[in-house]
């Protein structure tokens, strides 16, 4: 069974084709600048087929998906004979609100519910709905599955997800903490249990998904009990260009002083803040680390703020869990920055954390799971490259197989 995994943005469409018999990645790629001038990057990962990277017209997501199918099936660049080999499509969907606690087969009712979630994710959900429609137009009645970033966090108790604002805003408008990166957390917590040789249901885990967008989750016995992002991916840790947690009165102050509209203010908080805003140099941690080594004090300060805030959140989750068995690092920074990991973990000597400095220093730029715990560490310290696409493909396979069994019955 081959599953096509789609992650649609407003002007982009990322994809992977996975053979679920062996969980082998067959090809991956990216359509960009859809509706503008368009380009397609395509990389076959089996055989000796060449890669493809060209600027091509992509007026709509339908056109982008047509180009993807053409690449996947072409004699020169393809990895399958025809579109009929694709058994199902799995879609990454950012926000499922309270309507979806797990992945679902797409049908008319699901599409209506996704439309109702648009106010909660106005930048992301419309694009992902467009991606589903494009698959319907191009691929007909192929089964499609929606997998939600927010679904994993729906186990949080009200004490963790409610904001201290008038309760009617939750009752009437579903304003609450939802959390994101849930598909990543599902993968890395299951992998951590496998590494430790223990059932996930017996573990207290803190997972740090650190990338251009960063969050932390507390996972108790396989269920999320708290996470650092909120109604949107803006709060929590300072990130590449997002501010993270901030006094909400700052918005009023700046809007009054500079005459910003609310949309302009949110653009500043989402796109001009975080590491970029603090450093004045870059949102990329590699640039910040290099500049800090060269003596740039603002870059050093930005890094200090990030690692300090990350340590504060991890520490608060140790309290929420009443102890922790393992701390996990994943995503671009978590997987590839020994220095950032070491600076965060330096705050946890009181827990009996001990870092294997050599293992930590050598752990970057590869795709295997690594234990960076030092001898006698009371808490396991793990680096686990995430694989959200595989989780999406697994859910898609399982739901489609269940549908087939139901039809046979």
């Amino acid at each position: 069974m081959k599953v096509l995994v789609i992650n649609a943005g407003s002007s982009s469409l990322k994809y992977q084709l996975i053979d679920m018999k062996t969980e082998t990645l067959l090809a991956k790629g990216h359509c960009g600048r859809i509706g503008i001038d368009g380009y397609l990057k395509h990389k076959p990962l089996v055989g000796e087929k060449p890669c493809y990277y060209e600027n091509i017209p992509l007026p709509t997501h339908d056109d982008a998906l047509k180009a993807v199918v053409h690449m996947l099936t072409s004699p020169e660049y393809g990895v399958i004979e025809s579109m009929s080999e694709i058994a199902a499509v799995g879609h990454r969907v950012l926000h499922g609100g309270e309507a979806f606690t797990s992945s679902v087969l797409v049908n008319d009712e699901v599409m209506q519910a996704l439309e109702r979630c648009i106010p909660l994710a106005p930048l992301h959900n419309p694009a992902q709905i467009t991606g589903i429609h494009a698959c319907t137009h191009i691929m007909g009645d192929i089964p499609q599955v929606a997998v939600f970033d927010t679904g994993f966090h729906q186990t949080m108790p009200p004490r963790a997800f409610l904001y201290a604002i008038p309760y009617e805003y939750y009752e009437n408008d579903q304003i609450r903490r939802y959390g994101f990166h849930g598909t990543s957390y599902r993968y890395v917590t299951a992998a951590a249990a496998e590494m430790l040789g223990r059932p996930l249901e017996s573990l207290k885990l803190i997972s740090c998904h650190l990338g251009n967008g960063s969050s932390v989750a507390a996972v108790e016995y396989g269920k999320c009990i708290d996470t650092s992002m909120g109604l949107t991916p803006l709060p929590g840790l300072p990130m590449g260009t997002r501010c993270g947690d901030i006094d909400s009165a700052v918005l009023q102050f700046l809007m009054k002083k500079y005459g910003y509209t609310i949309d302009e203010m949110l653009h500043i908080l989402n796109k001009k803040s975080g590491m970029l805003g603090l450093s004045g140099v870059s949102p990329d941690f590699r640039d910040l680390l290099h500049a800090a080594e060269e003596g740039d004090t603002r870059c050093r300060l930005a890094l200090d703020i990030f690692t300090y805030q990350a340590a504060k959140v991890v520490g608060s989750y140790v309290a929420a869990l009443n102890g922790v068995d393992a701390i996990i690092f994943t995503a671009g920074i978590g997987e590839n920055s020994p220095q950032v990991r070491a600076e965060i973990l330096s705050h946890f000597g009181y827990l009996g954390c001990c870092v294997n400095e050599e293992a930590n220093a050598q752990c970057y730029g590869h795709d295997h799971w690594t234990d960076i715990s030092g001898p006698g560490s009371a808490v396991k310290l793990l680096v686990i490259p995430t694989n959200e696409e595989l989780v999406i493909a697994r859910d898609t396979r399982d739901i489609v197989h269940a549908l087939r069994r139901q039809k046979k019955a």
Side-chain angles (χ1 to χ4, degrees), residues 8-333:
S10 58
S11 62
S12 65
L13 190 150
K14 298 177 182 177
Y15 64 93
Q16 291 191 6
L17 183 66
I18 303 174
D19 186 341
M20 295 310 295
K21 287 183 179 179
T22 57
E23 297 191 341
T24 300
L25 180 58
L26 303 177
K28 64 180 180 178
H30 179 204
C31 298
R33 297 181 64 82
I34 298 171
I36 308 172
D37 44 12
Y39 68 82
L40 171 60
K41 296 180 180 179
H42 172 77
K43 185 175 183 179
L45 294 165
V46 291
E48 298 181 356
K49 300 290 182 72
C51 296
Y52 178 93
Y53 180 23
E54 294 289 345
N55 296 321
I56 60 173
L58 297 173
T60 68
H61 283 73
D62 281 17
D63 295 302
L65 189 61
K66 287 178 185 176
V68 169
V69 171
H70 174 72
M71 280 291 120
L72 291 172
T73 58
S74 75
E76 186 175 1
Y77 303 102
V79 294
I80 56 177
E81 294 293 327
S82 71
M83 188 172 68
S84 63
E85 290 187 46
I86 302 173
V89 180
H91 294 270
R92 181 243 182 177
V93 179
L94 181 84
H95 217 305
E98 291 191 322
F100 300 104
T101 60
S102 59
S103 304
V104 293
L105 185 73
V106 173
N107 56 29
D108 290 342
E109 290 182 358
V110 168
M111 294 303 293
Q112 292 167 9
L114 292 181
E115 295 280 351
R116 292 194 292 272
C117 289
I118 286 176
L120 298 173
L123 299 179
H124 296 84
N125 272 34
Q128 287 145 12
I129 291 169
T130 298
I132 294 171
H133 285 314
C135 288
T136 301
H137 295 160
I138 305 305
M139 307 179 79
D141 59 358
I142 187 171
Q144 299 185 67
V145 170
V147 181
F148 301 93
D149 275 11
T150 51
F152 180 74
H153 303 295
Q154 288 298 299
T155 54
M156 286 190 294
R159 68 185 183 190
F161 72 66
L162 282 176
Y163 293 120
I165 58 176
Y167 192 76
E168 58 262 30
Y169 295 128
Y170 170 62
E171 288 183 304
N172 299 333
D173 304 298
Q174 292 77 56
I175 302 300
R176 51 160 286 182
R177 183 184 307 279
Y178 286 98
F180 300 90
H181 298 137
T183 311
S184 173
Y185 289 129
R186 283 178 57 197
Y187 179 83
V188 299
T189 53
E194 186 176 336
M195 285 183 73
L196 298 175
R198 291 175 55 184
L200 182 58
E201 295 75 18
S202 72
L203 293 168
K204 296 179 179 181
L205 303 171
I206 297 173
S207 184
C208 305
H209 181 108
L210 308 181
N212 188 52
S214 295
S215 68
V216 182
V219 182
E220 184 175 47
Y221 311 139
K223 298 183 182 300
C224 177
I225 64 162
D226 209 341
T227 192
S228 59
M229 285 181 168
L231 174 73
T232 74
L234 181 59
L237 306 183
M239 308 174 214
T241 62
R242 297 177 189 144
C243 62
D245 284 344
I246 189 172
D247 182 343
S248 54
V250 171
L251 280 70
Q252 180 192 42
F253 180 93
L254 293 176
M255 289 169 70
K256 280 188 172 181
K257 181 171 183 178
Y258 295 106
Y260 297 138
T261 66
I262 187 62
D263 288 340
E264 289 171 332
M265 191 70 249
L266 287 176
H267 179 75
I268 291 168
L269 298 181
N270 274 292
K271 300 295 184 181
K272 296 185 176 181
S273 300
M275 298 297 99
L276 175 62
L278 285 168
S279 71
V281 171
S282 173
D284 192 307
F285 278 70
R286 291 166 296 188
D287 297 336
L288 300 182
L289 288 163
H290 177 73
E293 290 173 359
E294 297 294 315
D296 189 308
T297 56
R298 278 180 56 185
C299 288
R300 182 64 261 171
L301 176 62
L303 291 166
D304 288 345
I305 290 171
F306 177 82
T307 56
Y308 175 68
Q309 295 298 330
K312 280 175 60 179
V313 174
V314 171
S316 72
Y317 289 170
V318 173
L321 291 164
N322 193 19
V324 61
D325 294 302
I327 299 172
I328 306 163
F329 292 91
T330 193
I333 300 162

